[in-house]
């Protein structure tokens, strides 16, 4: 969204054990006002900007997409497992999470609570196609549309049409529904005659969670929430008919934050022009580093896309982990791993439970080093006494040190001062969770619906998980025993 690592905005880092590395459904903090989003840049340059789906950069009004460059927003402001729904009536209710009905927002207004997940993907498609149609009517006005599906994520919801259609269980059903949805949006662009004018980016944010998707990540070690390859290596596809040669395959070191500068390049917008509007705000908020032109971690992918070059756009990737390990919390940064070329060094690992022999969790001194070209599963660490290890670690440590020198200490958005702000990692803490920051359409709903959780405005949607009622895997694994015999059709 910004072309920058989250740490530069005070996002993602744990401050104390048992605090959270993502924004909760009651987050006080969010994306800082001094950060520049791709939507803001494009809007300033005459683009229409439209977002559908998951945001998860803060759910209070000042942090919503419409306050960060998007003309229009329709979606759930965080993960679909962070609220009560027909698919997850027993939502997590422990600090820093407190369960409220899952909200659906249009612009900055709650229009549905709980969200009817059984029809959500279809509605995301319809909203996207509606905007494509509107955009096609004004060919002189360029547009940017960001569609962030809540698929594929627990509680593995799917519409009735896709229930029990996959041999890969509930996650497979969800994947098939998303695949169909993407196809519908792309087909609509073709039908409207704008397909060749659209640059399509398709990717994901992390690997499958091995704790709830038994199919895992193939030969890659571990999964979501880790810096092992199963957590951070993602497929991506970019398409622009008539401009990008089809069928190319690249194994270059790239990240999702490369989309930002790549779009700037395609749109002929300089980085100086992109960041200029917020220079004064950055100075006012104490950004001593890069106030005029903030550090951009992303790289323009044009050489790979349009020149069919095999050269790398970067030498190394920095992989933050945000661990809750006290030894790491008390250091200046929380780097989990660094990859330079084929070699990847792990300074800290956690949740390594899918490959044997197991690697102990925690800080690694000396760091673990793997050659991914010959060991994609990260199963055979290189001997620390070898010349190979010493040579590659010298390169990696130098790259890490150079990177850390560009990282400014900024206010932490994840916790509050009262949570015990770790000033080693931030000068102050401005986030945290508070029930007053939750998304709630009707805070007095118990007067009307005493049998349902507070903030309920659409109790009829607690009975819309038809797929869930009949899916053997979900009945066995997802539904509490008290619900397994419940006639959801009678919910009122």
């Amino acid at each position: 969204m910004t072309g920058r690592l989250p740490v530069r905005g005070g996002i993602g880092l744990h401050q104390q054990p048992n605090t959270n590395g993502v924004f909760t459904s009651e987050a006080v903090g969010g994306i800082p006002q001094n950060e520049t989003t791709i939507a803001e840049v494009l809007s300033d340059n005459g683009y229409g900007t439209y977002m559908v789906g998951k945001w998860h950069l803060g759910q209070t009004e000042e942090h919503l997409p419409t306050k960060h460059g998007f003309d229009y927003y329709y979606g759930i402001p965080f993960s679909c497992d962070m609220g009560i729904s027909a698919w997850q009536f027993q939502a997590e209710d422990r600090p820093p999470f407190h369960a409220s009905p899952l909200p659906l927002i249009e612009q900055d207004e709650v229009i549905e609570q709980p969200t009817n997940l059984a029809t959500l993907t279809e509605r995301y498609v319809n909203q996207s196609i509606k905007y494509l149609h509107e955009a096609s009517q004004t060919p002189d006005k360029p547009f940017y549309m960001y569609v962030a599906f809540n698929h594929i994520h627990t509680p593995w919801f799917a519409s009735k049409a896709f229930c029990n259609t996959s041999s890969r269980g509930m996650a497979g059903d969800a994947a098939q529904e998303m695949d169909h949805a993407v196809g519908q949006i792309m087909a609509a662009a073709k039908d409207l005659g704008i397909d060749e004018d659209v640059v399509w980016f398709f990717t994901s944010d992390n690997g499958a969670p091995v704790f709830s998707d038994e199919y895992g990540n193939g030969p890659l070690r571990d999964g979501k929430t880790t810096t092992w390859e199963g957590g951070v290596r993602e497929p991506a596809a970019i398409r622009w008919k008539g401009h990008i040669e089809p069928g190319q395959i690249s194994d270059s070191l790239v990240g999702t934050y490369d989309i930002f500068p790549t779009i700037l390049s395609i749109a002929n917008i300089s980085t100086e022009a992109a960041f200029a509007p917020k220079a004064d705000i950055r100075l006012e908020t104490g950004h001593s580093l890069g106030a005029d032109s903030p550090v951009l971690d992303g790289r323009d992918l044009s050489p790979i896309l349009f020149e069919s070059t095999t050269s790398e756009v970067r030498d190394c990737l920095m992989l933050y982990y945000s661990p809750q390990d006290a030894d790491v919390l008390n250091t200046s940064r929380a780097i989990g791993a660094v990859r330079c070329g084929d070699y990847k060094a792990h300074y800290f690992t956690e949740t390594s439970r899918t490959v044997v022999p197991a690697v102990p969790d925690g800080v690694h001194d000396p760091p673990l080093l793997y050659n991914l070209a010959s060991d994609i599963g990260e199963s055979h660490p290189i001997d620390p006494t070898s010349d190979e290890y010493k040579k590659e670690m010298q390169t990696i440590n130098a790259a890490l040190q150079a990177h850390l020198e560009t990282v400014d200490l900024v206010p932490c958005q994840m916790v509050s001062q009262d949570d015990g702000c770790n000033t080693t990692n931030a000068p102050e803490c401005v986030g945290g969770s508070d029930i007053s920051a939750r998304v709630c359409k009707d805070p007095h709903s118990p007067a009307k619906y005493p049998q349902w959780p507070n903030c309920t405005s659409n109790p009829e949607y607690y009975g819309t998980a038809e797929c869930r009622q009949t899916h053997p895997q979900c009945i066995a694994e997802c539904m509490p025993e008290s619900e397994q015999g419940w006639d959801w059709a009678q919910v009122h």
Side-chain angles (χ1 to χ4, degrees), residues 3-295:
R4 288 155 52 82
L5 286 163
V7 66
R8 300 193 189 279
I11 297 173
L13 291 182
H14 290 286
Q15 281 284 309
Q16 300 290 344
N18 300 318
T19 57
N20 203 49
V22 298
F23 292 116
T24 70
S25 59
E26 299 174 343
V28 174
I31 182 172
Q33 296 298 323
N34 54 28
E35 288 289 337
T36 297
T37 69
I38 187 63
E40 289 174 313
V41 176
L42 294 175
S43 181
D44 289 344
N45 284 271
Y47 281 68
T49 54
Y50 192 94
M51 180 181 171
V52 172
K54 175 181 175 180
W55 173 240
H56 217 170
L57 287 172
Q59 81 296 331
T60 57
E61 186 174 347
E62 67 268 27
H63 294 121
L64 288 175
T66 51
K67 297 299 189 291
H68 291 272
F70 286 97
D71 300 327
Y72 181 84
Y73 173 60
Y74 182 96
I76 296 174
F78 35 70
S79 297
C80 54
D81 65 342
M82 295 176 70
I84 301 168
S85 70
W87 289 79
Q88 185 171 266
F89 200 77
Q90 301 294 325
E92 190 170 23
D93 193 3
R94 63 168 178 82
F97 296 99
H98 294 97
S100 294
L102 190 67
L104 181 66
I105 292 177
E106 185 172 24
Q107 296 295 70
D108 57 3
E109 179 184 351
V110 181
I111 61 171
E112 193 172 289
Q113 198 167 11
T115 302
N116 183 356
L117 291 176
T119 62
L120 182 66
T121 303
E122 179 184 5
R123 287 183 285 169
Y124 279 177
V125 169
N126 292 339
Q127 291 290 339
S128 301
I129 293 176
K130 177 184 176 183
Y131 183 69
L132 288 177
H133 184 269
E134 293 173 359
S136 71
Q137 302 305 303
T138 55
D140 293 334
K141 184 180 178 64
F143 70 91
Y144 168 70
M145 184 169 71
Y146 173 45
V147 183
F149 289 98
N150 286 95
H151 283 321
I152 305 168
H153 198 290
T154 54
W156 311 127
F157 66 93
S159 66
K160 186 176 181 180
F162 288 90
C163 180
N164 285 317
T165 61
S166 166
S167 62
R168 297 290 295 269
M170 294 168 60
D173 292 351
Q176 290 193 160
E177 181 169 40
M178 187 182 73
D179 177 72
H180 178 70
V182 172
Q184 286 182 297
I185 295 172
M186 296 186 73
K190 183 177 181 180
D191 292 342
L192 291 166
I194 61 174
D195 184 35
E196 295 188 8
D197 298 320
V198 176
V199 186
W200 301 90
F201 294 85
F202 180 85
T203 188
S204 183
D205 55 351
N206 50 249
V210 295
F211 47 85
S212 60
D213 180 2
E214 70 272 25
Y215 296 101
N217 295 288
L220 307 180
R221 185 177 190 135
D222 222 290
K224 179 180 178 178
T225 77
T226 79
T227 53
W228 295 108
E229 289 296 280
V232 299
R233 183 186 288 230
E234 293 303 314
I238 305 175
R239 177 176 181 255
W240 189 8
K241 292 187 69 175
H243 297 269
I244 299 175
E245 186 69 26
Q248 297 182 68
I249 298 176
S250 173
D251 58 2
S252 297
L253 292 181
V254 303
T256 52
Y257 42 78
D258 294 330
I259 294 175
F260 184 106
T262 304
I263 289 177
L264 293 189
S265 176
I266 292 172
N268 293 315
I269 302 171
S270 69
T271 54
E272 292 77 11
F275 289 117
K278 289 194 174 183
D280 291 342
I281 298 177
R282 287 190 293 274
L283 286 171
E284 290 173 4
T285 52
H287 274 241
S288 60
L289 221 159
D292 294 325
S293 184
V295 175

Side-chain angles (χ1 to χ4, degrees), residues 344-360:
K344 181 178 175 185
H346 286 275
Y347 296 85
F348 178 97
T349 59
E350 195 165 87
T351 323
S352 51
R353 55 190 175 189
T354 58
V355 177
V356 292
V359 174

